[in-house]
């Protein structure tokens, strides 16, 4: 059952409808019809949303029977229809996600939905590979696995569901979602909309399913279900560990703590602007957002005022002490992560500042604090718009601190420098799935940078930016002595 009270559910419904410019005073049934909630606040069943894991898997299995062998043209039509529908719904889903989770900024969630919808690769990613020579021809093709079980986070609920669906279905699979309990309503609505788009394109119903009331137990049930061939897990360390304990192939997209190094050769104004934009994107809840800034001696004195000119509020020493008491449940020991107070994850900078008695406008996007190298903020994945800036003697020490404070997750890191040797040195040392030079780290997601987008970056299992090929089995055919035609 829902952990929300009926009053809270009603508030979410009203906020969603108000933001959609619709009347908040309509009948309960009409409002519920728009948000997909039943009397208890749980998602309505139907259009891919099921009451149990076995039912959701069985639905996906039926869809797969119809989908198997249906051909690439149908897949292309389905993905085109999904892209059209998700572009139409990007604002509504962003508003619903923001209202339900209380995390991030609705406007940034619109950008995220659009980014994955337009830049996640489709079936074109499965272009076969050919080798020909004196001994004939070999073709490698990309085959589906079957049913993929996907676990999604509360931080990017809709962008992850859209992204995972495009990747998994493009590769000819069906997907069963166990979403984060804190985003179950918007996620169920997203699953329904995806189903509708797939059926409109001529695809089978239930190619995308999920459970109405997801819990840790249903996540585990999905992970161990015998008909699930492959897992895609996006979340923190606990869920990654859980997936790697199963006997299935698991693609795991785990946590990060992305550092941004700024050296003495950097364009400091641009670095300041980029870090403010990157670290405040959706209030820092994205795993790739900058979470620590490390400067070479003398640079912070120029960088921090430039960050203030670009929309950051710089904390005074006594304000930092107050902030620590608010945002940490427990500060970490020196050079260790602390435990973050979840109530402040993903909140606006102005709300966090108000709690320590500082009044600023909502257009202040980031809180900046100068701290020592061993301060807990440097070592913690804070997931809120609070950016520690710490200084070291030289760029090699900066790279070393970046590598250690990222905990060698190998997830995401960035540098601002005009020295190509230094950029190369740090890229090698960090050994990350995403490394960005001279831009916000979101450029590595294809936002303002080149390349395709993914919101499941599978660092622990080495798959990197997930794409249709990630959810495919490579199969080859060799024709010995024939079909080389030259
Ligand atoms: P979370 O780990 O709390 O939850 C993620 C999902 O896992 C949810 O669906 C949750 O219900 C489930 N879950 C959690 N613990 C579980 C367990 N023990 N067994 C089974 N299921 C479990 O994470 P969150 O707060 O939703 O998301 C933030 C975290 O996810 C951050 O650490 C962030 O870096 C990471 N993340 C990584 C990526 C990536 O692409 N690498 C993308 C988004 C988020």
């Amino acid at each position: 059952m829902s952990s929300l009270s009926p009053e809270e559910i009603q508030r979410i419904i009203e906020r969603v409808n108000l933001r959609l410019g619709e009347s908040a005073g309509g009948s309960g049934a009409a409002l519920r019809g728009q948000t997909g909630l039943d009397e208890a606040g749980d998602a309505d069943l139907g259009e891919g949303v099921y009451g149990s894991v076995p039912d959701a898997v069985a639905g996906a299995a039926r869809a797969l029977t119809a989908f198997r062998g249906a051909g690439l043209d149908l897949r292309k039509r389905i993905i085109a229809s999904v892209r059209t529908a998700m572009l139409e719904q990007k604002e509504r889903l962003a508003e619903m996600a923001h209202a339900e989770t209380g995390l991030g900024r609705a406007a940034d969630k619109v950008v995220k939905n659009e980014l994955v919808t337009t830049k996640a690769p489709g079936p074109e990613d499965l272009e076969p590979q050919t080798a020909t020579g004196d001994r004939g021809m070999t073709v490698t093709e990309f085959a589906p696995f079957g049913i993929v079980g996907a676990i999604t986070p509360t931080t990017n609920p809709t962008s992850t569901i859209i992204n995972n669906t495009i990747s998994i279905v493009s590769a000819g699979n069906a997907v069963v979602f166990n979403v984060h309990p804190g985003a179950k309503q918007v996620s169920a609505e997203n699953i329904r909309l995806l189903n509708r788009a797939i059926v409109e394109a001529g695809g089978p119903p239930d190619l995308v399913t999920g459970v109405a009331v997801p819990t840790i137990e249903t996540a585990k049930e999905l992970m161990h279900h015998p008909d699930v061939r492959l897992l895609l897990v996006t979340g923190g360390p606990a869920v990654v560990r859980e997936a790697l304990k199963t006997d299935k192939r698991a693609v795991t997209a785990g946590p990060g703590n992305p550092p941004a190094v700024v050296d003495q050769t950097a364009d400091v104004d641009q670095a300041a602007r980029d870090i403010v934009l990157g670290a405040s994107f959706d209030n820092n809840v994205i795993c790739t957002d900058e979470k620590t800034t490390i400067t070479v001696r003398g640079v912070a004195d120029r960088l921090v005022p430039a960050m203030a000119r670009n929309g950051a509020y710089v904390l005074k020493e006594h304000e930092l002490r107050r902030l620590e008491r608010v945002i940490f449940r427990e500060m970490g020991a020196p050079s260790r992560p602390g435990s973050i107070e979840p109530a402040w994850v993903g909140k606006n900078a102005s709300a966090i500042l108000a709690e320590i008695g500082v009044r600023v406008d909502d257009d202040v996007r980031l809180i900046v604090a100068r701290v020592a190298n061993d301060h807990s903020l440097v070592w913690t994945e804070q997931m809120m718009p609070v950016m520690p800036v710490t200084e070291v003697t030289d760029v090699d020490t900066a790279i070393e601190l970046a590598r250690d404070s990222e905990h060698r997750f190998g997830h995401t890191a960035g540098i601002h420098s005009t020295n190509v040797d230094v950029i190369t040195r740090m890229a090698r040392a960090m050994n990350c799935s995403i490394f960005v030079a001279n831009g916000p780290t979101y450029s590595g997601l294809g936002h303002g940078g080149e390349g395709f987008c993914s919101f499941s970056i599978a660092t622990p299992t080495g798959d990197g930016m997930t794409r249709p090929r990630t959810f495919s089995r490579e199969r080859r055919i060799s024709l010995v002595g024939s079909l080389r035609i030259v």
Side-chain angles (χ1 to χ4, degrees):
M1 294 296 285
S2 169
S3 56
L4 295 174
S5 68
E7 293 74 30
E8 285 172 308
I9 292 157
Q10 189 57 33
R11 263 203 311 280
I12 291 172
I13 294 169
E14 286 174 2
R15 279 162 66 190
V16 169
N17 286 327
L18 273 176
R19 287 176 185 185
L20 291 170
E22 294 166 1
S23 161
S27 77
L31 292 170
R32 281 193 297 278
Q34 288 160 25
T35 57
L37 306 184
D38 69 9
E39 295 291 344
D42 293 335
D44 286 339
L45 302 187
E47 294 190 281
V49 181
Y50 280 93
S52 73
V53 169
D55 287 350
V57 174
R62 281 191 300 276
L64 205 53
T65 307
F67 195 42
R68 197 170 277 134
L72 271 173
D73 283 351
L74 178 61
R75 275 194 228 169
K76 287 176 187 164
R77 282 201 302 278
I78 285 173
I79 297 303
S81 175
V82 162
R83 292 194 205 278
T84 304
M86 293 303 102
L87 278 182
E88 278 168 15
Q89 298 285 340
K90 65 181 180 185
E91 279 103 1
R92 178 160 168 268
L93 288 172
E95 294 285 358
M96 285 183 74
H98 183 248
E100 184 179 358
T101 65
L103 303 180
R105 288 176 177 258
D108 293 354
K109 291 187 186 297
V110 177
V111 174
K112 287 168 31 171
N113 286 343
E114 178 168 343
L115 187 61
V116 291
T117 301
T118 55
K119 296 192 93 171
E124 72 281 359
D125 192 42
L126 306 175
E127 204 52 41
Q129 291 164 356
T130 313
T132 68
D134 294 346
R135 281 164 289 281
M137 182 185 70
T138 293
V139 176
T140 302
E141 292 190 308
F142 298 94
F145 269 91
I147 298 175
V148 180
I151 315 278
T152 55
T154 184
T155 46
N156 316 314
T158 56
S159 39
T160 308
I161 289 174
I162 298 167
N163 180 209
N164 291 174
T165 297
I166 292 176
S167 298
I168 291 168
V169 172
S170 289
N173 305 288
V175 55
V176 181
F177 283 105
N178 196 91
V179 304
H180 194 288
K184 66 182 174 187
Q185 291 144 1
V186 66
S187 302
E189 178 64 359
N190 205 158
I191 288 169
R192 272 192 291 274
L193 292 167
L194 287 163
N195 257 288
R196 241 170 264 167
I198 290 169
V199 170
E200 270 168 27
D206 285 352
L207 212 43
V208 179
T209 65
V211 283
V213 188
T215 60
I216 301 275
E217 286 64 42
T218 58
K220 289 183 184 167
E221 204 182 343
L222 180 63
M223 286 186 200
H224 292 278
H225 195 291
D227 293 345
V228 172
R229 281 292 316 275
L230 172 67
L231 301 173
L232 168 59
V233 164
T234 308
V239 69
V240 166
R241 258 196 315 274
E242 206 58 47
L244 293 176
K245 278 198 280 188
T246 67
D247 57 3
K248 299 182 199 300
R249 169 161 148 70
V251 175
T252 64
N257 190 35
V261 164
V262 187
D263 80 1
Q264 66 280 15
T265 72
D267 176 336
V268 169
D269 283 333
Q270 189 197 316
R273 197 202 59 201
D274 289 348
I275 294 170
V276 172
L277 283 174
S280 67
F281 188 39
D282 210 17
N283 284 344
N284 202 257
V285 295
I286 308 174
C287 55
T288 53
D289 286 341
E290 292 88 341
K291 292 185 169 56
T292 300
T293 300
I294 304 168
T295 67
V296 170
R297 184 176 288 153
V299 173
D301 286 344
R302 290 184 288 137
L303 184 78
V304 170
M307 291 170 96
R309 289 195 297 279
N310 282 280
Y313 177 86
V314 182
L315 291 178
K316 298 172 190 70
E317 185 68 29
H318 70 280
E319 292 169 340
L320 173 61
R321 296 286 94 80
R322 264 190 258 155
L323 184 96
E324 288 164 358
R325 287 195 289 276
V326 168
I327 65 168
F328 280 104
R329 268 191 177 163
E330 200 179 329
M331 291 266 285
S335 305
R336 303 287 304 158
S339 158
I340 284 292
E341 173 53 55
W344 294 104
V345 168
K347 294 294 179 287
N348 284 3
S350 57
I352 299 170
L353 284 171
E355 189 67 12
I356 60 162
V358 176
R359 309 267 156 222
V360 297
D361 289 341
D362 230 19
D363 52 8
V364 167
R365 288 187 63 97
L366 189 67
I367 302 166
V368 170
R370 288 190 70 164
V371 298
N373 297 170
D374 62 0
H375 191 282
S376 218
L377 265 174
V378 173
W379 301 78
T380 307
E381 190 191 27
Q382 68 272 32
M383 309 209 98
M384 63 181 74
V386 176
M387 171 57 83
V389 177
T390 195
E391 200 161 85
V392 294
T393 48
D394 56 80
V395 78
D396 286 305
T397 312
I399 294 172
E400 209 173 299
L401 178 58
R403 195 192 48 199
D404 291 347
S405 63
E406 206 261 339
H407 308 293
R408 302 184 195 224
F409 287 134
H411 192 298
T412 297
I415 188 167
H416 298 267
S417 171
T418 53
N419 183 328
V420 176
D421 290 341
V422 166
I423 294 172
T424 310
R425 221 154 57 232
M426 180 163 170
R428 284 192 184 143
M430 295 307 298
N431 194 17
C432 279
S433 298
I434 299 177
F435 187 77
V436 176
N438 298 325
T441 45
Y442 59 55
S443 322
L445 297 175
H447 182 43
E450 292 299 331
F452 71 89
C453 180
S454 173
F455 264 65
S456 290
I457 301 126
T459 293
T461 47
D463 308 88
M465 302 275 285
T466 52
R467 57 200 291 183
R469 275 189 205 187
T470 314
F471 307 101
S472 305
R473 295 171 56 229
E474 275 195 27
R475 290 173 49 195
R476 66 157 57 175
I477 176 167
S478 279
L479 279 103
V480 182
S482 344
L483 280 185
R484 176 169 165 85
I485 57 168
V486 292

